[in-house]
């Protein structure tokens, strides 16, 4: 390198900091379209979760009530004016709450903070220490800003589904995978919710084996959507 040693050192440092183009490894497993769609949903949900938690607490019981009422109407094989009226009222309330969530998401910086992660885990019944939350973020925080952005979440997910060694850090992956399966966001994963995702990933034969591993050999029919499990 020509010029002063200080200039040469600066040039080498700049070159070191420049982003490198890394060719994908041949054994990288692609993310399916269904996983990509649900991963976007989960990332959006986790961003500013702390700010949305109060609205979500109002929303979820209403959604559960709607599911219960619709099941009641199906069982009765007919209309019920009182039930229909309540469904209409709940529909309006749910729409209003969704608008509030959308307004918060429109203001989001697209990053998941430690407080967002802690609140989401608490909602699922798991309380973690501040250090445990920091470790979850540190394992995937590529740019060291103490938050998780979309690119970091996607890279984390890609690495975990491609991991054959079992050595890839998976604390955040376990949470995200659970939330991907929990498509109605009620804090439970059902057989119905899981089946389509596993089918696209593994095919029918392996899907059935995975379902038995998750829900037991008989996949006991509990809950409103078949067998249901909570966050471990």
């Amino acid at each position: 390198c020509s010029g002063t040693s200080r200039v040469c050192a600066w040039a080498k440092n700049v070159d070191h900091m420049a982003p490198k183009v890394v060719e994908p490894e041949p054994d990288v497993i692609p993310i399916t379209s269904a996983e990509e769609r649900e991963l976007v949903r989960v990332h959006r949900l986790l961003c500013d979760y702390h700010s949305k938690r109060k609205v979500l607490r109002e929303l979820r019981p209403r959604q559960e009530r709607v599911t219960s009422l619709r099941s009641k109407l199906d069982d009765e094989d007919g209309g019920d004016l009182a039930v229909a009226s309540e469904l209409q009222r709940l529909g309006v309330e749910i729409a209003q709450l969704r608008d509030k969530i959308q307004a918060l998401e429109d203001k989001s910086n697209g990053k998941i903070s430690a407080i967002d992660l802690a609140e989401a885990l608490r909602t699922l019944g798991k309380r973690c220490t501040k250090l445990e939350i920091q470790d979850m973020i540190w394992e995937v925080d590529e740019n060291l800003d103490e938050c998780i952005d979309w690119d970091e979440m996607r890279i984390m997910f890609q690495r975990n589904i491609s991991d054959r060694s079992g050595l890839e850090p998976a604390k955040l992956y376990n949470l995200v995978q659970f939330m991907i399966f929990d498509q109605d966001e009620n804090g439970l994963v059902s057989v119905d919710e899981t089946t389509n995702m596993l089918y696209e990933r593994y095919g029918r034969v392996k899907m059935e084996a995975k379902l038995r591993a998750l829900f037991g050999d008989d996949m006991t029919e509990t809950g409103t959507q078949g067998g249901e499990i909570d966050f471990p």
Side-chain angles (χ1 to χ4, degrees):
C1 179
S2 60
T4 66
S5 59
R6 181 176 297 176
V7 172
C8 289
W10 174 85
K12 290 178 180 178
N13 190 42
V14 169
D15 180 65
H16 175 72
M17 292 188 298
K20 306 298 183 183
V21 177
V22 180
E23 295 297 329
E25 298 179 11
D27 58 345
V28 169
I29 297 175
I31 298 175
T32 68
S33 59
E35 288 170 337
E36 183 90 31
R37 181 179 64 252
E38 296 302 323
L39 191 60
V40 169
R41 175 184 61 79
V42 170
H43 178 261
R44 186 177 66 247
L45 176 63
L46 286 174
C47 287
D48 301 297
Y49 192 96
H50 181 70
S51 300
K52 293 184 282 191
R53 72 192 189 284
K54 291 182 180 179
V55 183
L56 289 169
R57 286 173 184 168
E58 294 181 49
L59 176 63
R60 283 170 179 156
R62 287 169 170 80
Q63 291 174 317
E64 291 170 4
R65 179 62 176 162
V66 165
T67 300
S68 175
L69 289 173
R70 286 176 176 166
S71 176
K72 181 179 178 181
L73 284 177
D74 291 341
D75 291 341
E76 293 177 353
D77 192 26
D80 184 308
L81 291 179
V83 171
S85 177
E86 186 176 358
L87 281 171
Q88 184 176 17
R89 175 181 59 79
L90 288 169
V92 171
E93 293 175 358
I94 288 172
Q96 291 172 341
L97 291 169
R98 287 192 180 280
D99 286 344
K100 290 182 180 180
I101 292 173
Q102 185 63 55
L104 290 169
E105 291 180 346
D106 289 343
K107 299 176 183 177
S108 174
N109 63 1
K111 295 185 178 183
I112 303 164
S113 68
I115 194 171
D116 295 325
L117 207 52
E119 189 65 41
L121 284 162
R122 192 176 298 117
T123 299
L124 293 173
K126 187 174 182 64
R127 292 183 176 272
C128 296
T129 65
K130 184 176 181 180
L131 182 59
E132 287 172 329
I133 297 296
Q134 289 173 340
D135 283 345
M136 289 180 70
I137 293 176
W138 180 82
E139 288 177 348
V140 303
D141 186 13
E142 301 284 336
N143 60 13
L144 302 180
D145 66 349
E146 299 182 354
C147 294
I148 304 165
D149 60 29
W150 164 248
D151 289 336
E152 289 166 341
M153 179 176 279
R154 195 181 191 284
I155 289 170
M156 173 278 298
F157 191 83
Q158 181 80 75
R159 286 175 175 170
N160 273 273
I161 62 174
S162 301
D163 180 39
R164 299 180 186 277
S165 67
L167 300 177
E168 186 68 31
K171 294 175 184 175
L172 180 63
Y173 172 76
N174 291 333
L175 170 64
V176 169
Q177 184 75 301
F178 182 89
M179 295 180 74
I180 282 176
F181 288 153
D182 181 20
Q183 294 173 10
D184 62 5
E185 299 174 6
N186 71 342
L188 298 169
V189 169
S190 69
V191 173
D192 289 351
E193 288 175 317
T194 309
T195 298
N196 290 336
M197 297 293 294
L198 291 181
Y199 180 79
E200 186 166 349
R201 161 64 56 198
Y202 298 106
R204 178 173 297 280
V205 176
K206 289 185 177 180
M207 174 200 74
E208 292 175 353
K210 292 285 183 180
L211 284 172
R212 286 194 295 272
L214 285 170
F215 298 97
D217 289 336
D218 56 356
M219 289 184 276
T220 306
E221 294 294 319
T222 59
T224 59
Q225 302 180 69
E228 290 180 331
I229 54 175
D230 57 9
F231 187 68

